[in-house]
Amino acid sequence: MDIVAAAGEESSLSQLSLSGLFRSYWPAVCRLAAEYSPRDAEDLAQTTIYEATRDWGTAGQAFRGRSRGQFWTWIKKILRTNYLDARKHEQAKKREGQARAVSLDFSGLGDDAIANLIDQAKSTPSASASRREQMLAAIALLPAPQMEVARLYFLEDVTSTAIADRLEIADAEVEARLLKAVRNLKKHLPVE
């Protein structure tokens, strides 16, 4: 059967006949989407039907075939492209998440005095009031970009990811500022 005839003449395609055509393929698209990604099958199927409907009569991605087999092949191509795009997006988010999960290790910057002072400043308020004051005084001497990041990270215990979000800067920039801050703090804090 000619797909264009089933949907109506191309020049007089009504939205109703086009939606009826896609509605008849919905179960098959859902089954195929479940083969690709059982977890995201419905989203994948909806996106595929949406794009196929949107691209039906446009130049470029438009359906140009005449048979149901050609139509199904066109739908499968759209679905596969959507699946691959979703996978790329997931992998990019996963890589971004891994990059954000990098912990800051200051041990390679020399002696452990700075690390001990930071740990003491973060400990109970009564035991570390003087340490916290020393830390505040030293942080106040830092350049503004380092000071804000160091204050949030060391004194308010905000994660580097949260700092990046709050200051609207990249995680790598937060880490760079923290490393510079630690180097500068070593110059201003008493070593015990």
Side-chain angles (χ1 to χ4, degrees), residues 22-88:
F22 284 111
R23 192 178 4 241
S24 69
Y25 276 88
W26 175 251
V29 172
C30 287
R31 281 191 301 275
L32 184 60
E35 290 177 21
Y36 278 105
S37 177
R39 181 179 50 124
D40 299 322
E42 189 169 334
D43 289 342
L44 187 57
Q46 285 178 354
T47 302
T48 298
I49 293 297
Y50 168 77
E51 289 183 7
T53 304
R54 179 195 66 201
D55 295 342
W56 176 261
T58 62
Q61 299 296 323
F63 174 67
R64 299 194 194 319
R66 298 200 64 82
S67 70
R68 288 190 178 270
Q70 291 170 328
F71 179 74
W72 180 237
T73 301
W74 181 62
I75 293 290
K76 289 192 302 188
K77 180 181 173 187
I78 295 170
L79 191 139
R80 178 168 168 73
T81 300
N82 287 335
Y83 169 73
L84 294 174
D85 288 347
R87 292 267 318 207
K88 285 180 196 173

Short mmCIF file of all heavy atoms in Angstrom, two decimals, residues 22-88:
data_model
loop_
_atom_site.label_atom_id
_atom_site.label_comp_id
_atom_site.label_asym_id
_atom_site.label_seq_id
_atom_site.Cartn_x
_atom_site.Cartn_y
_atom_site.Cartn_z
N PHE A 22 0.93 8.08 12.46
CA PHE A 22 1.93 7.90 13.51
C PHE A 22 1.37 7.13 14.69
O PHE A 22 2.07 6.33 15.30
CB PHE A 22 2.50 9.25 13.96
CG PHE A 22 3.47 9.82 12.97
CD1 PHE A 22 3.16 10.95 12.24
CD2 PHE A 22 4.71 9.22 12.77
CE1 PHE A 22 4.05 11.47 11.32
CE2 PHE A 22 5.61 9.74 11.85
CZ PHE A 22 5.29 10.87 11.13
N ARG A 23 0.08 7.36 15.00
CA ARG A 23 -0.54 6.63 16.09
C ARG A 23 -0.54 5.12 15.81
O ARG A 23 -0.35 4.32 16.71
CB ARG A 23 -1.96 7.15 16.31
CG ARG A 23 -2.58 6.66 17.58
CD ARG A 23 -3.97 7.20 17.85
NE ARG A 23 -4.50 8.03 16.78
CZ ARG A 23 -4.83 9.31 16.91
NH1 ARG A 23 -4.72 9.90 18.06
NH2 ARG A 23 -5.29 9.99 15.89
N SER A 24 -0.72 4.74 14.55
CA SER A 24 -0.72 3.32 14.22
C SER A 24 0.67 2.69 14.39
O SER A 24 0.78 1.50 14.63
CB SER A 24 -1.24 3.10 12.80
OG SER A 24 -0.31 3.61 11.85
N TYR A 25 1.71 3.50 14.32
CA TYR A 25 3.08 3.00 14.49
C TYR A 25 3.58 3.11 15.93
O TYR A 25 4.63 2.59 16.26
CB TYR A 25 4.05 3.75 13.56
CG TYR A 25 4.08 3.16 12.17
CD1 TYR A 25 3.18 3.59 11.21
CD2 TYR A 25 4.98 2.17 11.84
CE1 TYR A 25 3.19 3.05 9.94
CE2 TYR A 25 5.00 1.62 10.57
CZ TYR A 25 4.09 2.06 9.62
OH TYR A 25 4.11 1.51 8.37
N TRP A 26 2.83 3.77 16.79
CA TRP A 26 3.26 3.99 18.16
C TRP A 26 3.66 2.70 18.89
O TRP A 26 4.74 2.65 19.49
CB TRP A 26 2.17 4.75 18.94
CG TRP A 26 2.50 4.91 20.40
CD1 TRP A 26 1.90 4.29 21.45
CD2 TRP A 26 3.51 5.75 20.97
NE1 TRP A 26 2.47 4.68 22.63
CE2 TRP A 26 3.47 5.57 22.35
CE3 TRP A 26 4.46 6.60 20.43
CZ2 TRP A 26 4.33 6.23 23.23
CZ3 TRP A 26 5.32 7.27 21.29
CH2 TRP A 26 5.24 7.09 22.67
N PRO A 27 2.85 1.62 18.89
CA PRO A 27 3.26 0.40 19.62
C PRO A 27 4.58 -0.17 19.10
O PRO A 27 5.43 -0.60 19.89
CB PRO A 27 2.11 -0.58 19.37
CG PRO A 27 0.93 0.28 19.04
CD PRO A 27 1.50 1.46 18.32
N ALA A 28 4.77 -0.16 17.78
CA ALA A 28 6.01 -0.70 17.22
C ALA A 28 7.21 0.18 17.60
O ALA A 28 8.30 -0.34 17.90
CB ALA A 28 5.90 -0.81 15.70
N VAL A 29 7.01 1.49 17.60
CA VAL A 29 8.10 2.40 17.99
C VAL A 29 8.46 2.18 19.46
O VAL A 29 9.64 2.15 19.82
CB VAL A 29 7.71 3.87 17.71
CG1 VAL A 29 8.73 4.83 18.28
CG2 VAL A 29 7.55 4.11 16.21
N CYS A 30 7.45 1.99 20.30
CA CYS A 30 7.71 1.73 21.73
C CYS A 30 8.48 0.43 21.93
O CYS A 30 9.41 0.38 22.75
CB CYS A 30 6.40 1.68 22.52
SG CYS A 30 5.64 3.30 22.74
N ARG A 31 8.11 -0.61 21.19
CA ARG A 31 8.82 -1.89 21.32
C ARG A 31 10.28 -1.74 20.89
O ARG A 31 11.19 -2.23 21.56
CB ARG A 31 8.13 -2.97 20.48
CG ARG A 31 6.90 -3.56 21.14
CD ARG A 31 6.41 -4.81 20.41
NE ARG A 31 6.07 -4.56 19.01
CZ ARG A 31 4.88 -4.11 18.59
NH1 ARG A 31 3.93 -3.86 19.46
NH2 ARG A 31 4.66 -3.91 17.31
N LEU A 32 10.50 -1.06 19.77
CA LEU A 32 11.86 -0.86 19.28
C LEU A 32 12.67 0.00 20.26
O LEU A 32 13.83 -0.29 20.54
CB LEU A 32 11.85 -0.23 17.89
CG LEU A 32 13.23 -0.06 17.23
CD1 LEU A 32 13.92 -1.41 17.07
CD2 LEU A 32 13.07 0.63 15.88
N ALA A 33 12.05 1.04 20.80
CA ALA A 33 12.73 1.91 21.76
C ALA A 33 13.13 1.11 23.00
O ALA A 33 14.21 1.31 23.56
CB ALA A 33 11.84 3.09 22.14
N ALA A 34 12.26 0.17 23.43
CA ALA A 34 12.57 -0.67 24.60
C ALA A 34 13.75 -1.59 24.34
O ALA A 34 14.50 -1.93 25.26
CB ALA A 34 11.34 -1.48 25.00
N GLU A 35 13.95 -1.98 23.09
CA GLU A 35 15.12 -2.79 22.75
C GLU A 35 16.41 -1.97 22.90
O GLU A 35 17.43 -2.49 23.33
CB GLU A 35 15.01 -3.33 21.33
CG GLU A 35 13.96 -4.39 21.16
CD GLU A 35 13.82 -4.85 19.71
OE1 GLU A 35 14.77 -4.65 18.92
OE2 GLU A 35 12.76 -5.39 19.39
N TYR A 36 16.34 -0.72 22.53
CA TYR A 36 17.50 0.16 22.65
C TYR A 36 17.76 0.54 24.10
O TYR A 36 18.89 0.50 24.57
CB TYR A 36 17.31 1.45 21.83
CG TYR A 36 17.63 1.31 20.37
CD1 TYR A 36 16.61 1.24 19.43
CD2 TYR A 36 18.94 1.29 19.93
CE1 TYR A 36 16.89 1.13 18.08
CE2 TYR A 36 19.23 1.18 18.58
CZ TYR A 36 18.21 1.10 17.66
OH TYR A 36 18.49 0.99 16.33
N SER A 37 16.72 0.96 24.80
CA SER A 37 16.89 1.48 26.15
C SER A 37 15.61 1.23 26.96
O SER A 37 14.71 2.06 26.96
CB SER A 37 17.19 2.98 26.10
OG SER A 37 17.29 3.50 27.40
N PRO A 38 15.53 0.09 27.65
CA PRO A 38 14.32 -0.24 28.40
C PRO A 38 13.94 0.85 29.41
O PRO A 38 12.78 1.15 29.61
CB PRO A 38 14.67 -1.54 29.12
CG PRO A 38 15.77 -2.13 28.32
CD PRO A 38 16.53 -0.98 27.73
N ARG A 39 14.94 1.45 30.03
CA ARG A 39 14.70 2.46 31.07
C ARG A 39 14.08 3.73 30.49
O ARG A 39 13.22 4.36 31.09
CB ARG A 39 16.03 2.78 31.76
CG ARG A 39 15.95 3.78 32.87
CD ARG A 39 17.31 3.99 33.47
NE ARG A 39 18.29 4.25 32.43
CZ ARG A 39 19.07 5.31 32.37
NH1 ARG A 39 19.01 6.21 33.30
NH2 ARG A 39 19.93 5.48 31.40
N ASP A 40 14.50 4.13 29.30
CA ASP A 40 14.05 5.38 28.70
C ASP A 40 13.20 5.17 27.45
O ASP A 40 13.12 6.06 26.60
CB ASP A 40 15.26 6.25 28.33
CG ASP A 40 16.09 6.61 29.54
OD1 ASP A 40 15.49 6.86 30.60
OD2 ASP A 40 17.33 6.63 29.43
N ALA A 41 12.57 4.01 27.34
CA ALA A 41 11.86 3.65 26.11
C ALA A 41 10.76 4.64 25.74
O ALA A 41 10.66 5.07 24.59
CB ALA A 41 11.28 2.24 26.23
N GLU A 42 9.95 5.03 26.71
CA GLU A 42 8.83 5.91 26.38
C GLU A 42 9.32 7.29 25.93
O GLU A 42 8.82 7.85 24.96
CB GLU A 42 7.88 6.06 27.57
CG GLU A 42 6.60 6.78 27.17
CD GLU A 42 5.53 6.70 28.24
OE1 GLU A 42 5.52 5.76 29.04
OE2 GLU A 42 4.70 7.63 28.24
N ASP A 43 10.32 7.83 26.63
CA ASP A 43 10.87 9.13 26.22
C ASP A 43 11.47 9.05 24.82
O ASP A 43 11.29 9.95 24.00
CB ASP A 43 11.95 9.60 27.20
CG ASP A 43 11.37 10.02 28.53
OD1 ASP A 43 10.16 10.27 28.61
OD2 ASP A 43 12.15 10.09 29.50
N LEU A 44 12.19 7.98 24.56
CA LEU A 44 12.82 7.78 23.26
C LEU A 44 11.76 7.67 22.17
O LEU A 44 11.88 8.28 21.10
CB LEU A 44 13.71 6.53 23.30
CG LEU A 44 14.58 6.22 22.12
CD1 LEU A 44 15.52 7.37 21.80
CD2 LEU A 44 15.40 4.96 22.39
N ALA A 45 10.70 6.93 22.43
CA ALA A 45 9.61 6.77 21.45
C ALA A 45 8.90 8.11 21.21
O ALA A 45 8.63 8.47 20.06
CB ALA A 45 8.62 5.72 21.94
N GLN A 46 8.61 8.85 22.28
CA GLN A 46 7.93 10.13 22.12
C GLN A 46 8.78 11.12 21.31
O GLN A 46 8.27 11.82 20.44
CB GLN A 46 7.61 10.74 23.49
CG GLN A 46 6.46 10.05 24.18
CD GLN A 46 6.20 10.63 25.56
OE1 GLN A 46 6.94 11.46 26.06
NE2 GLN A 46 5.13 10.16 26.19
N THR A 47 10.06 11.16 21.63
CA THR A 47 10.95 12.07 20.90
C THR A 47 11.00 11.69 19.42
O THR A 47 10.99 12.55 18.55
CB THR A 47 12.36 12.02 21.51
OG1 THR A 47 12.28 12.39 22.88
CG2 THR A 47 13.32 12.96 20.80
N THR A 48 11.04 10.40 19.16
CA THR A 48 11.10 9.92 17.78
C THR A 48 9.84 10.31 17.00
O THR A 48 9.94 10.85 15.89
CB THR A 48 11.29 8.39 17.75
OG1 THR A 48 12.54 8.10 18.39
CG2 THR A 48 11.30 7.85 16.34
N ILE A 49 8.68 10.06 17.57
CA ILE A 49 7.43 10.40 16.89
C ILE A 49 7.32 11.92 16.72
O ILE A 49 6.90 12.41 15.66
CB ILE A 49 6.20 9.83 17.64
CG1 ILE A 49 6.21 8.30 17.57
CG2 ILE A 49 4.90 10.39 17.10
CD1 ILE A 49 6.08 7.71 16.17
N TYR A 50 7.70 12.66 17.75
CA TYR A 50 7.67 14.12 17.65
C TYR A 50 8.54 14.61 16.48
O TYR A 50 8.10 15.42 15.66
CB TYR A 50 8.14 14.76 18.96
CG TYR A 50 8.39 16.24 18.82
CD1 TYR A 50 7.35 17.15 18.78
CD2 TYR A 50 9.70 16.72 18.69
CE1 TYR A 50 7.58 18.50 18.63
CE2 TYR A 50 9.94 18.07 18.54
CZ TYR A 50 8.88 18.96 18.50
OH TYR A 50 9.12 20.29 18.34
N GLU A 51 9.77 14.12 16.43
CA GLU A 51 10.67 14.56 15.37
C GLU A 51 10.19 14.12 13.99
O GLU A 51 10.32 14.87 13.02
CB GLU A 51 12.09 14.07 15.63
CG GLU A 51 12.74 14.81 16.80
CD GLU A 51 14.16 14.40 17.06
OE1 GLU A 51 14.74 13.62 16.26
OE2 GLU A 51 14.71 14.87 18.07
N ALA A 52 9.65 12.91 13.90
CA ALA A 52 9.16 12.44 12.61
C ALA A 52 7.97 13.29 12.15
O ALA A 52 7.88 13.65 10.97
CB ALA A 52 8.75 10.97 12.72
N THR A 53 7.08 13.63 13.08
CA THR A 53 5.94 14.48 12.74
C THR A 53 6.41 15.87 12.32
O THR A 53 5.94 16.42 11.33
CB THR A 53 4.99 14.60 13.95
OG1 THR A 53 4.60 13.29 14.36
CG2 THR A 53 3.76 15.40 13.60
N ARG A 54 7.35 16.40 13.07
CA ARG A 54 7.89 17.73 12.78
C ARG A 54 8.59 17.76 11.41
O ARG A 54 8.45 18.70 10.65
CB ARG A 54 8.89 18.12 13.88
CG ARG A 54 9.52 19.48 13.67
CD ARG A 54 10.74 19.67 14.54
NE ARG A 54 11.78 18.75 14.12
CZ ARG A 54 12.79 18.36 14.87
NH1 ARG A 54 12.90 18.80 16.10
NH2 ARG A 54 13.70 17.53 14.41
N ASP A 55 9.32 16.68 11.10
CA ASP A 55 10.12 16.65 9.87
C ASP A 55 9.36 16.09 8.67
O ASP A 55 9.93 16.00 7.58
CB ASP A 55 11.39 15.80 10.09
CG ASP A 55 12.32 16.40 11.11
OD1 ASP A 55 12.18 17.60 11.41
OD2 ASP A 55 13.19 15.67 11.62
N TRP A 56 8.11 15.70 8.84
CA TRP A 56 7.35 15.03 7.78
C TRP A 56 7.44 15.74 6.44
O TRP A 56 7.79 15.15 5.44
CB TRP A 56 5.90 14.88 8.21
CG TRP A 56 5.03 14.28 7.16
CD1 TRP A 56 4.21 14.93 6.30
CD2 TRP A 56 4.93 12.90 6.82
NE1 TRP A 56 3.58 14.07 5.47
CE2 TRP A 56 4.01 12.79 5.76
CE3 TRP A 56 5.52 11.74 7.30
CZ2 TRP A 56 3.66 11.58 5.19
CZ3 TRP A 56 5.17 10.54 6.74
CH2 TRP A 56 4.25 10.46 5.69
N GLY A 57 7.16 17.00 6.40
CA GLY A 57 7.12 17.69 5.12
C GLY A 57 8.24 18.69 4.90
O GLY A 57 8.24 19.42 3.93
N THR A 58 9.22 18.72 5.81
CA THR A 58 10.29 19.69 5.68
C THR A 58 11.39 19.18 4.76
O THR A 58 11.55 17.98 4.56
CB THR A 58 10.92 20.02 7.04
OG1 THR A 58 11.50 18.83 7.58
CG2 THR A 58 9.91 20.58 8.00
N ALA A 59 12.13 20.09 4.24
CA ALA A 59 13.28 19.71 3.40
C ALA A 59 14.36 19.14 4.32
O ALA A 59 14.43 19.43 5.50
CB ALA A 59 13.80 20.92 2.64
N GLY A 60 15.21 18.34 3.79
CA GLY A 60 16.33 17.80 4.57
C GLY A 60 15.99 16.44 5.16
O GLY A 60 16.36 15.42 4.62
N GLN A 61 15.27 16.42 6.28
CA GLN A 61 14.97 15.17 6.98
C GLN A 61 13.63 14.57 6.59
O GLN A 61 13.20 13.59 7.16
CB GLN A 61 14.98 15.42 8.49
CG GLN A 61 16.30 15.90 9.04
CD GLN A 61 17.40 14.88 8.88
OE1 GLN A 61 17.19 13.69 8.99
NE2 GLN A 61 18.59 15.36 8.57
N ALA A 62 12.92 15.15 5.65
CA ALA A 62 11.57 14.72 5.31
C ALA A 62 11.54 13.29 4.78
O ALA A 62 12.50 12.81 4.18
CB ALA A 62 10.98 15.66 4.26
N PHE A 63 10.42 12.63 5.02
CA PHE A 63 10.21 11.29 4.48
C PHE A 63 9.98 11.39 2.98
O PHE A 63 9.15 12.15 2.52
CB PHE A 63 9.01 10.64 5.17
CG PHE A 63 8.63 9.33 4.57
CD1 PHE A 63 9.48 8.23 4.67
CD2 PHE A 63 7.44 9.18 3.89
CE1 PHE A 63 9.14 7.02 4.11
CE2 PHE A 63 7.10 7.97 3.32
CZ PHE A 63 7.95 6.89 3.43
N ARG A 64 10.74 10.62 2.23
CA ARG A 64 10.65 10.70 0.77
C ARG A 64 10.18 9.37 0.14
O ARG A 64 10.03 9.28 -1.05
CB ARG A 64 12.00 11.07 0.17
CG ARG A 64 12.50 12.43 0.64
CD ARG A 64 13.64 12.90 -0.23
NE ARG A 64 14.43 13.99 0.21
CZ ARG A 64 14.07 15.11 0.80
NH1 ARG A 64 12.84 15.28 1.10
NH2 ARG A 64 14.91 16.05 1.12
N GLY A 65 9.99 8.38 0.97
CA GLY A 65 9.59 7.08 0.43
C GLY A 65 8.11 7.01 0.11
O GLY A 65 7.37 7.97 0.26
N ARG A 66 7.69 5.80 -0.34
CA ARG A 66 6.27 5.63 -0.69
C ARG A 66 5.67 4.39 -0.03
O ARG A 66 4.45 4.25 -0.03
CB ARG A 66 6.13 5.56 -2.21
CG ARG A 66 6.61 6.86 -2.85
CD ARG A 66 6.10 7.07 -4.23
NE ARG A 66 4.68 7.22 -4.39
CZ ARG A 66 3.99 8.34 -4.20
NH1 ARG A 66 4.58 9.41 -3.77
NH2 ARG A 66 2.70 8.38 -4.44
N SER A 67 6.48 3.52 0.52
CA SER A 67 5.93 2.29 1.09
C SER A 67 6.00 2.31 2.62
O SER A 67 6.74 3.10 3.20
CB SER A 67 6.71 1.08 0.57
OG SER A 67 8.00 1.06 1.13
N ARG A 68 5.24 1.41 3.21
CA ARG A 68 5.28 1.29 4.68
C ARG A 68 6.66 0.84 5.14
O ARG A 68 7.13 1.28 6.19
CB ARG A 68 4.20 0.33 5.17
CG ARG A 68 2.81 0.91 5.06
CD ARG A 68 1.79 0.02 5.77
NE ARG A 68 0.48 0.62 5.70
CZ ARG A 68 0.00 1.46 6.60
NH1 ARG A 68 0.71 1.78 7.63
NH2 ARG A 68 -1.21 1.98 6.45
N GLY A 69 7.31 -0.01 4.37
CA GLY A 69 8.66 -0.46 4.71
C GLY A 69 9.65 0.70 4.73
O GLY A 69 10.49 0.80 5.62
N GLN A 70 9.54 1.57 3.75
CA GLN A 70 10.42 2.74 3.71
C GLN A 70 10.10 3.69 4.86
O GLN A 70 11.00 4.30 5.45
CB GLN A 70 10.27 3.46 2.36
CG GLN A 70 10.84 2.68 1.20
CD GLN A 70 10.46 3.29 -0.14
OE1 GLN A 70 9.39 3.88 -0.29
NE2 GLN A 70 11.36 3.13 -1.11
N PHE A 71 8.81 3.81 5.18
CA PHE A 71 8.41 4.67 6.29
C PHE A 71 8.98 4.12 7.60
O PHE A 71 9.54 4.86 8.40
CB PHE A 71 6.88 4.75 6.37
CG PHE A 71 6.38 5.59 7.51
CD1 PHE A 71 6.47 6.98 7.45
CD2 PHE A 71 5.83 5.00 8.64
CE1 PHE A 71 6.01 7.77 8.50
CE2 PHE A 71 5.36 5.78 9.68
CZ PHE A 71 5.46 7.17 9.62
N TRP A 72 8.87 2.81 7.81
CA TRP A 72 9.38 2.18 9.04
C TRP A 72 10.90 2.34 9.13
O TRP A 72 11.45 2.61 10.19
CB TRP A 72 8.96 0.73 9.10
CG TRP A 72 9.43 0.00 10.32
CD1 TRP A 72 10.18 -1.12 10.36
CD2 TRP A 72 9.18 0.35 11.70
NE1 TRP A 72 10.42 -1.50 11.66
CE2 TRP A 72 9.80 -0.61 12.50
CE3 TRP A 72 8.47 1.37 12.30
CZ2 TRP A 72 9.76 -0.57 13.89
CZ3 TRP A 72 8.44 1.42 13.70
CH2 TRP A 72 9.07 0.45 14.47
N THR A 73 11.59 2.21 8.00
CA THR A 73 13.04 2.40 7.98
C THR A 73 13.39 3.83 8.38
O THR A 73 14.33 4.07 9.13
CB THR A 73 13.60 2.07 6.59
OG1 THR A 73 13.28 0.70 6.28
CG2 THR A 73 15.10 2.28 6.53
N TRP A 74 12.62 4.80 7.90
CA TRP A 74 12.84 6.21 8.24
C TRP A 74 12.63 6.43 9.74
O TRP A 74 13.43 7.10 10.40
CB TRP A 74 11.87 7.07 7.42
CG TRP A 74 11.97 8.55 7.61
CD1 TRP A 74 13.05 9.35 7.35
CD2 TRP A 74 10.95 9.42 8.11
NE1 TRP A 74 12.75 10.66 7.64
CE2 TRP A 74 11.47 10.72 8.11
CE3 TRP A 74 9.64 9.21 8.53
CZ2 TRP A 74 10.73 11.83 8.52
CZ3 TRP A 74 8.90 10.31 8.94
CH2 TRP A 74 9.45 11.60 8.94
N ILE A 75 11.57 5.86 10.29
CA ILE A 75 11.30 5.97 11.73
C ILE A 75 12.43 5.34 12.53
O ILE A 75 12.90 5.91 13.53
CB ILE A 75 9.94 5.32 12.09
CG1 ILE A 75 8.78 6.09 11.46
CG2 ILE A 75 9.76 5.17 13.59
CD1 ILE A 75 8.54 7.45 12.07
N LYS A 76 12.89 4.15 12.12
CA LYS A 76 13.97 3.48 12.84
C LYS A 76 15.26 4.31 12.82
O LYS A 76 15.99 4.35 13.80
CB LYS A 76 14.22 2.08 12.26
CG LYS A 76 13.11 1.10 12.57
CD LYS A 76 13.46 -0.33 12.26
CE LYS A 76 13.85 -0.57 10.84
NZ LYS A 76 14.01 -2.01 10.50
N LYS A 77 15.51 4.96 11.70
CA LYS A 77 16.70 5.81 11.59
C LYS A 77 16.61 6.98 12.58
O LYS A 77 17.58 7.30 13.26
CB LYS A 77 16.84 6.34 10.16
CG LYS A 77 18.04 7.23 9.96
CD LYS A 77 18.11 7.74 8.53
CE LYS A 77 19.22 8.76 8.39
NZ LYS A 77 19.23 9.40 7.08
N ILE A 78 15.45 7.60 12.68
CA ILE A 78 15.26 8.71 13.62
C ILE A 78 15.43 8.20 15.06
O ILE A 78 16.11 8.83 15.87
CB ILE A 78 13.88 9.37 13.43
CG1 ILE A 78 13.80 10.04 12.06
CG2 ILE A 78 13.59 10.38 14.54
CD1 ILE A 78 12.40 10.52 11.68
N LEU A 79 14.84 7.05 15.36
CA LEU A 79 14.92 6.48 16.70
C LEU A 79 16.37 6.17 17.06
O LEU A 79 16.84 6.51 18.15
CB LEU A 79 14.07 5.22 16.81
CG LEU A 79 13.88 4.72 18.24
CD1 LEU A 79 12.44 4.25 18.44
CD2 LEU A 79 14.82 3.61 18.57
N ARG A 80 17.10 5.56 16.15
CA ARG A 80 18.51 5.22 16.41
C ARG A 80 19.33 6.49 16.64
O ARG A 80 20.16 6.54 17.55
CB ARG A 80 19.09 4.41 15.26
CG ARG A 80 20.55 4.07 15.46
CD ARG A 80 21.05 3.05 14.47
NE ARG A 80 22.46 2.91 14.47
CZ ARG A 80 23.19 2.34 15.40
NH1 ARG A 80 22.60 1.85 16.47
NH2 ARG A 80 24.51 2.24 15.31
N THR A 81 19.10 7.52 15.85
CA THR A 81 19.82 8.78 16.02
C THR A 81 19.51 9.38 17.39
O THR A 81 20.41 9.85 18.09
CB THR A 81 19.44 9.78 14.90
OG1 THR A 81 19.79 9.20 13.64
CG2 THR A 81 20.15 11.10 15.07
N ASN A 82 18.24 9.35 17.79
CA ASN A 82 17.86 9.87 19.11
C ASN A 82 18.51 9.07 20.23
O ASN A 82 18.96 9.64 21.23
CB ASN A 82 16.34 9.86 19.27
CG ASN A 82 15.67 10.93 18.45
OD1 ASN A 82 16.27 11.94 18.11
ND2 ASN A 82 14.42 10.70 18.11
N TYR A 83 18.57 7.75 20.07
CA TYR A 83 19.20 6.90 21.07
C TYR A 83 20.69 7.24 21.20
O TYR A 83 21.20 7.41 22.31
CB TYR A 83 19.02 5.43 20.72
CG TYR A 83 19.86 4.51 21.57
CD1 TYR A 83 19.54 4.28 22.90
CD2 TYR A 83 20.98 3.89 21.04
CE1 TYR A 83 20.31 3.45 23.68
CE2 TYR A 83 21.76 3.06 21.82
CZ TYR A 83 21.43 2.84 23.14
OH TYR A 83 22.21 2.03 23.92
N LEU A 84 21.38 7.36 20.08
CA LEU A 84 22.80 7.67 20.11
C LEU A 84 23.06 9.05 20.70
O LEU A 84 24.01 9.24 21.46
CB LEU A 84 23.41 7.55 18.71
CG LEU A 84 23.43 6.13 18.13
CD1 LEU A 84 23.90 6.15 16.68
CD2 LEU A 84 24.29 5.21 18.97
N ASP A 85 22.21 10.02 20.36
CA ASP A 85 22.34 11.36 20.94
C ASP A 85 22.16 11.32 22.46
O ASP A 85 22.89 11.98 23.20
CB ASP A 85 21.33 12.32 20.33
CG ASP A 85 21.68 12.71 18.90
OD1 ASP A 85 22.82 12.44 18.45
OD2 ASP A 85 20.80 13.28 18.22
N ALA A 86 21.17 10.55 22.93
CA ALA A 86 20.93 10.44 24.37
C ALA A 86 22.11 9.79 25.07
O ALA A 86 22.51 10.21 26.16
CB ALA A 86 19.64 9.65 24.63
N ARG A 87 22.68 8.77 24.45
CA ARG A 87 23.87 8.11 25.02
C ARG A 87 25.04 9.07 25.12
O ARG A 87 25.75 9.12 26.12
CB ARG A 87 24.28 6.89 24.18
CG ARG A 87 23.34 5.73 24.19
CD ARG A 87 23.68 4.75 25.22
NE ARG A 87 25.12 4.56 25.25
CZ ARG A 87 25.72 3.48 25.64
NH1 ARG A 87 25.01 2.48 26.02
NH2 ARG A 87 27.02 3.38 25.68
N LYS A 88 25.28 9.85 24.07
CA LYS A 88 26.37 10.83 24.09
C LYS A 88 26.15 11.83 25.22
O LYS A 88 27.09 12.19 25.94
CB LYS A 88 26.46 11.58 22.76
CG LYS A 88 27.04 10.79 21.63
CD LYS A 88 27.07 11.64 20.37
CE LYS A 88 27.27 10.79 19.14
NZ LYS A 88 27.14 11.57 17.91
#
